[in-house]
Amino acid sequence: MAQYDVAIIGAGPGGYVAAIRAGQLGLKTVCIEKDPRLGGTCTLRGCIPTKAILHTAELYENAQDSGDQGVKVANVELDMELVRKHKESVVTKSSKGVEFLFRKNKVERIHGHARLAGPGRVSVSGGSSGDQMIEAKHVILASGSAPRLIPGLKVDGKRIVTSDELLENTEIPKRLIVLGCGAVGVEFASVYQRFGSQVTIVEMLPHLLPLEDDDICTEFEKAMRRRKVKFLTSAKVEKVELSGDVVKCTVTTQKGTEVLEAEMFLCAVGRRPVTENLDLEKFPNVKLERGYVIVDAKTLRTGEPWLSAIGDVIALPGRPHPQLAHLAFVEAEFVVDTLAGHHPKPVNYDQVPGATYSEPEVASVGLTERAARERGYKVKVGVFPMSANGKARILGATEGMVKIVGEEKYDEVLGVHVVGPRATEMIAEACSLLRLESTSEEMARVIRPHPTLTEAMTEAAMGVRGKPLHI
């Protein structure tokens, strides 16, 4: 039986980072992955390919609109097969990069399906590596997630699809219905609206991007209306059926029931944990909640001392756990550093940034205004519109705002929320400042270059303490 210090199940963002980190620290490491390629959902069917297509959509829109800025482009064409090939090229290079890092750090890779066979024991079957049993001092579960479906929905891969199938699509539907308005839903809505589809979003909750700050939701919805994206909120899907080449979706809202028709229907209602067929039920100390593995928030251990879990498969007692690749990265490093005898600080789940790569982009870190008030803070808020930012005017992208949530007693910044151009890049600065427990005064006194989008951070911070300069 092969012996290891660490065995990792899954080679997605959590799994491959855990493997690389363990290799760097000199631990004998094996990573088991059922997919022939490394990288997991994020690299193969999630973050990387979707952002490649979003970038193409941005280029396509900019080429069509560039005449307003003096660059006249005639006969702009969209070739969906080339879009798919570019996406696949990016994915392949990213996956090959993980393979290189495994070799560089002496991480052994086993292809096959893993099952927990006992304390520190993992059986592998069904892959190119053949059936085998391995033993490790510690096992890290990082098996990831898959698209969640609504009850009764039958995905045919062509007209009724999940994000997995839509990433391989080479047709532009005249009409697209998107069920779900989280990051996946609004990103694909943003892509296909720019590609020329008539997009309708259907959402059970009252707002688009319902986890964001209320003011950010309102601003984002205004932007969607300007782009003629229709959305039905507080809506329940009663039935989805195929009628020839048309998908008919029966939806009930406060206004009544209507039937939406489209050439394509995307189910984007979230992701489920991949914890089936791992034989977790054989271990009574490992607790599951709706398929998620419950872990201690400070250690990321399960009820079994030899088993940790990270990434999309875990649930934290008493608080939500975002399914985000960058969070899985951090959790992987934390667990491995702990196993290596270091003493890392536990993950601060209040400071996990969210990023949605739609048009306009949305990003946030820290507490929303509502959450801050619910925790008992005396809140102060600063807001600055992107329409008053010089760089945004240069880019012709003046939608959106920066909102900073501060507290009155110590002036600490509790949350930063951005909707607008390059929001997902701008939020990184806010992450650093929150990590350093910055005050709004310190944030306002940072000297930022002019003209840049980040000057909106300065102005919003000034707004917490009084009034921005440029409005």
Side-chain angles (χ1 to χ4, degrees), residues 221-247:
E221 288 171 357
K222 289 178 183 176
M224 290 294 100
R225 289 190 188 98
R226 281 192 286 268
R227 283 170 167 70
K228 295 182 171 54
V229 173
K230 182 180 179 182
F231 52 91
L232 305 175
T233 53
S234 301
K236 180 183 178 182
V237 171
E238 306 289 351
K239 184 169 56 175
V240 179
E241 56 188 350
L242 271 174
S243 178
D245 290 335
V246 174
V247 182

Side-chain angles (χ1 to χ4, degrees), residues 22-344:
Q24 289 174 340
L25 296 177
L27 300 175
K28 187 177 181 183
T29 306
V30 63
C31 185
I32 306 136
E33 171 57 53
K34 63 183 180 181
D35 197 295
R37 297 189 293 177
L38 298 178
T41 292
C42 177
T43 302
L44 306 176
R45 295 175 294 278
C47 321
I48 298 299
T50 54
K51 278 53 179 182
I53 295 175
L54 279 155
H55 178 63
T56 297
E58 181 182 17
L59 288 175
Y60 183 56
E61 183 177 48
N62 288 345
Q64 291 176 306
D65 296 342
S66 62
D68 294 340
Q69 298 182 38
V71 180
K72 297 181 179 180
V73 181
N75 303 318
V76 179
E77 295 182 13
L78 183 67
D79 186 323
M80 288 296 289
E81 180 57 31
L82 289 179
V83 172
R84 189 195 65 78
K85 286 182 179 179
H86 168 68
K87 177 267 300 180
E88 193 58 32
S89 172
V90 173
V91 167
T92 298
K93 289 175 183 176
S94 299
S95 181
K96 292 290 185 183
V98 178
E99 288 183 17
F100 166 76
L101 291 170
F102 271 28
R103 292 193 299 271
K104 178 182 178 181
N105 293 287
K106 298 182 171 65
V107 174
E108 185 177 339
R109 171 195 179 185
I110 296 178
H111 175 225
H113 180 82
R115 294 177 185 269
L116 298 175
R121 300 180 70 185
V122 181
S123 67
V124 185
S125 61
S128 59
S129 303
D131 294 355
Q132 55 188 295
M133 182 75 72
I134 66 172
E135 188 169 38
K137 296 175 184 176
H138 201 86
V139 177
I140 301 174
L141 179 60
S143 49
S145 63
R148 188 183 295 279
L149 300 177
I150 59 173
L153 184 68
K154 295 181 179 180
V155 173
D156 70 349
K158 183 177 180 182
R159 299 295 177 190
I160 301 176
V161 300
T162 69
S163 56
D164 287 357
E165 293 82 25
L166 195 53
L167 282 170
E168 302 304 318
N169 177 54
T170 55
E171 296 181 6
I172 303 171
K174 181 180 178 182
R175 298 164 296 181
L176 172 68
I177 299 170
V178 177
L179 178 60
C181 71
V184 173
V186 299
E187 285 179 1
F188 275 111
S190 184
V191 165
Y192 279 88
Q193 180 271 325
R194 286 182 281 181
F195 282 174
S197 299
Q198 298 172 14
V199 179
T200 301
I201 303 173
V202 180
E203 170 57 38
M204 180 178 63
L205 296 174
H207 294 288
L208 302 184
L209 297 176
L211 298 181
E212 299 292 345
D213 184 271
D214 292 345
D215 289 335
I216 298 299
C217 292
T218 299
E219 191 71 16
F220 183 74
E221 288 171 357
K222 289 178 183 176
M224 290 294 100
R225 289 190 188 98
R226 281 192 286 268
R227 283 170 167 70
K228 295 182 171 54
V229 173
K230 182 180 179 182
F231 52 91
L232 305 175
T233 53
S234 301
K236 180 183 178 182
V237 171
E238 306 289 351
K239 184 169 56 175
V240 179
E241 56 188 350
L242 271 174
S243 178
D245 290 335
V246 174
V247 182
K248 293 186 176 182
C249 177
T250 305
V251 180
T252 299
T253 66
Q254 295 173 344
K255 297 179 180 179
T257 299
E258 62 179 302
V259 178
L260 307 176
E261 294 187 356
E263 285 68 39
M264 191 173 288
F265 176 96
L266 168 65
C267 184
V269 294
R271 300 186 63 83
R272 62 173 180 82
V274 178
T275 50
E276 69 273 14
N277 301 318
L278 293 171
D279 290 348
L280 288 167
E281 64 278 2
K282 293 181 179 179
F283 304 91
N285 292 328
V286 178
K287 306 299 182 184
L288 298 177
E289 180 182 281
R290 296 181 297 112
Y292 294 94
V293 180
I294 299 175
V295 298
D296 182 283
K298 292 184 178 179
T299 65
L300 299 180
R301 297 281 178 95
T302 67
E304 296 285 348
W306 53 271
L307 179 64
S308 298
I310 59 176
D312 286 5
V313 298
I314 71 172
L316 302 176
R319 68 173 303 145
H321 178 269
Q323 292 178 307
L324 297 168
H326 47 274
L327 178 54
F329 293 158
V330 173
E331 291 172 340
E333 291 182 63
F334 170 79
V335 168
V336 173
D337 284 358
T338 301
L339 294 178
H342 302 174
H343 301 282

Side-chain angles (χ1 to χ4, degrees), residues 382 404 440 444 457-469:
I404 296 177
S440 69
M457 292 280 191
T458 302
E459 299 277 0
M462 293 174 71
V464 175
R465 302 180 55 77
K467 186 172 177 59
L469 280 174

